Amino acid sequence: MVAAPIRPEPTTTQIRYNQVDDFQAFRTSRPKRVSFGTSGTEIHWNATNYPPLKKQFMVFATDNIKREFGALVTTFTAERMSSVTTRLNERHTEVVAQLSSPALRRLTKIAALEANWDSEGAESPAALAIARAGLLIQLVNENLASSGKSIHPPDTSAPLHNGGIQLEWWSSALDIETYIEPNGSVRCLFANKLPDGAEDYDETGDLGISDAASEIADRLSAE
Amino acid sequence: MREPVSERVTITRDHFLYRRIASFEMEMRDGQPYVFSSAFRRDPDEAGLSVYVEGIETAEQARDHGQPYHGVARLSASVPLDNNMPVIHQPLADAHGHAEIMEVNGDGRKRKLARACSVPILPTAMPVDSKLKVVDLDD
């Protein structure tokens, strides 16, 4: 009888923070696989995009986020990858349900766009913008949940010509547009709907991602 | 009726303008076309936002300056003109109806233009062969 191979259990304590130089490479490399959800965002890079690492992905975990980088970078050897993915799937059953949302599916497709997606020289969405979008979605939902409100994933999204991401939240009294630039900066536009059908705008300057999430959640909570 | 193009036309509130849009620059919202404000971004190296003047060009001609899968949004020139965004007719050799909306500064102005649009020609999906696999976490 052949003994079953021993698989070492991956743990979150194996997560290490990436060097700044390494992270710069992530910002320009094309992700191989992107999955969005309300509890986390998973982005896989092909080993050929970044040869020093066997496998690599960025995971936004609900319980542990390093906000100055916007993500944790985890390195696993190939033999651990399948078991880690399984564990993520087990924990993220809520994520699977949310992936059925047309809005999140659209965002996933946007993340997959190639350069020149508009035939007019548009950039492909930057990895950092994708990562920040996923983080912002998560933080908004965390803020809503902490105040006893229902979570509210973005209602739609759009790519920006320069490689950024635009997220939108809609409600009966308010539309919120959030622009995530390729360099990771975030700003918001709050379009308050007036009785005559017109809109009144509040525009922010660049915000920290936590402040943006807090502001968005506050505005949605006020409904 | 096509207007003569040997001279520049003064754009007034009575004119309508066409803006070419890509498939990801709009979607359907409650059964109606919803144009994103991102469709009105201005290229950093351009002074204004390119549009085409209805009456000098048709919507199909405006689309054909781009790709067959592009769509066309339509808005009244009164929207930019009433919001401090001049519209200047800038005819080109191959686009007599070309004009530019100037002073499209700030996110609010882009949204105001986008919210005023109808979409007489819907974009279709750009034919691409994406090498990026998009999967659910269950895969």
Side-chain angles (χ1 to χ4, degrees), chain B residues 11-17 54 74 76-78 81:
Chain B
I11 304 302
T12 69
R13 301 178 75 257
D14 294 329
H15 281 99
F16 281 84
L17 308 172
E54 184 179 85
R74 180 179 185 263
S76 168
S78 65
L81 292 174

Side-chain angles (χ1 to χ4, degrees), chain A residues 31-33 35 42 89 106 108 112 117-120 156 161 166 168 175 177 179 187 199 203, chain B residues 20 24 27 29 34 36-38 41 43 67 69-70 107-108 111 126 132-138:
Chain A
K32 181 176 176 61
R33 181 176 118 172
S35 301
E42 187 175 318
N89 288 346
R106 177 181 169 88
T108 306
W117 52 264
D118 64 349
S119 300
E120 296 186 351
T156 191
H161 187 262
Q166 178 168 329
E168 295 197 14
D175 280 0
E177 295 188 6
Y179 317 102
R187 67 183 189 278
E199 293 182 335
E203 299 181 49
Chain B
R20 209 166 50 243
F24 275 95
E27 70 166 0
R29 178 177 180 180
Y34 178 88
F36 290 99
S37 59
S38 58
R41 51 59 185 171
D43 289 332
Q67 299 295 329
Y69 40 81
H70 280 144
D107 300 316
R111 180 174 172 92
M126 179 180 176
L132 182 68
K133 180 184 180 186
V134 175
V135 298
D136 289 337
L137 288 178
D138 268 344

Side-chain angles (χ1 to χ4, degrees), chain A:
Chain A
M1 185 173 71
V2 177
I6 298 175
R7 289 185 171 277
E9 287 295 315
T11 68
T12 56
T13 59
Q14 293 171 350
I15 295 173
R16 65 173 174 83
Y17 299 128
N18 204 32
Q19 298 292 327
V20 173
D21 288 345
D22 293 345
F23 193 71
Q24 295 296 336
F26 291 148
R27 294 175 63 174
T28 56
S29 65
R30 292 284 294 128
K32 181 176 176 61
R33 181 176 118 172
V34 180
S35 301
F36 282 95
T38 56
S39 300
T41 302
E42 187 175 318
I43 307 173
H44 290 246
W45 272 264
N46 193 351
T48 57
N49 292 121
Y50 197 55
L53 300 174
K54 297 285 186 184
K55 289 283 187 181
Q56 190 174 107
F57 57 91
M58 302 168 72
V59 177
F60 297 94
T62 308
D63 55 355
N64 191 2
I65 297 174
K66 197 66 175 179
R67 286 174 172 76
E68 57 263 33
F69 287 126
L72 295 172
V73 178
T74 308
T75 303
F76 292 89
T77 59
E79 65 180 322
R80 291 182 174 181
M81 191 62 183
S82 60
S83 63
V84 170
T85 304
T86 299
R87 287 167 66 85
L88 284 172
N89 288 346
E90 291 170 351
R91 286 207 299 270
H92 288 75
T93 53
E94 178 190 354
V95 175
V96 173
Q98 288 296 329
L99 278 174
S100 66
S101 156
L104 286 176
R105 285 189 177 278
R106 177 181 169 88
L107 183 55
T108 306
K109 290 180 182 179
I110 287 171
L113 287 173
E114 301 282 347
N116 199 36
W117 52 264
D118 64 349
S119 300
E120 296 186 351
E123 300 287 341
S124 61
L128 185 55
I130 297 170
R132 287 295 174 94
L135 180 57
L136 183 63
I137 292 168
Q138 178 186 336
L139 292 177
V140 168
N141 284 330
E142 284 181 0
N143 286 344
L144 288 170
S146 67
S147 60
K149 301 291 183 177
S150 300
I151 63 171
H152 188 157
D155 291 278
T156 191
S157 55
L160 298 180
H161 187 262
N162 64 355
I165 299 275
Q166 178 168 329
L167 299 177
E168 295 197 14
W169 282 263
W170 298 336
S171 70
S172 57
L174 172 74
D175 280 0
I176 303 172
E177 295 188 6
T178 303
Y179 317 102
I180 304 164
E181 298 294 338
N183 64 1
S185 66
V186 180
R187 67 183 189 278
C188 297
L189 179 145
F190 301 99
N192 303 288
K193 299 175 186 177
L194 303 176
D196 61 355
E199 293 182 335
D200 176 57
Y201 301 139
D202 294 328
E203 299 181 49
T204 73
D206 287 347
L207 297 173
I209 198 160
S210 294
D211 290 338
S214 178
E215 185 69 31
I216 292 167
D218 285 348
R219 298 274 188 143
L220 292 173
S221 295
E223 293 292 290

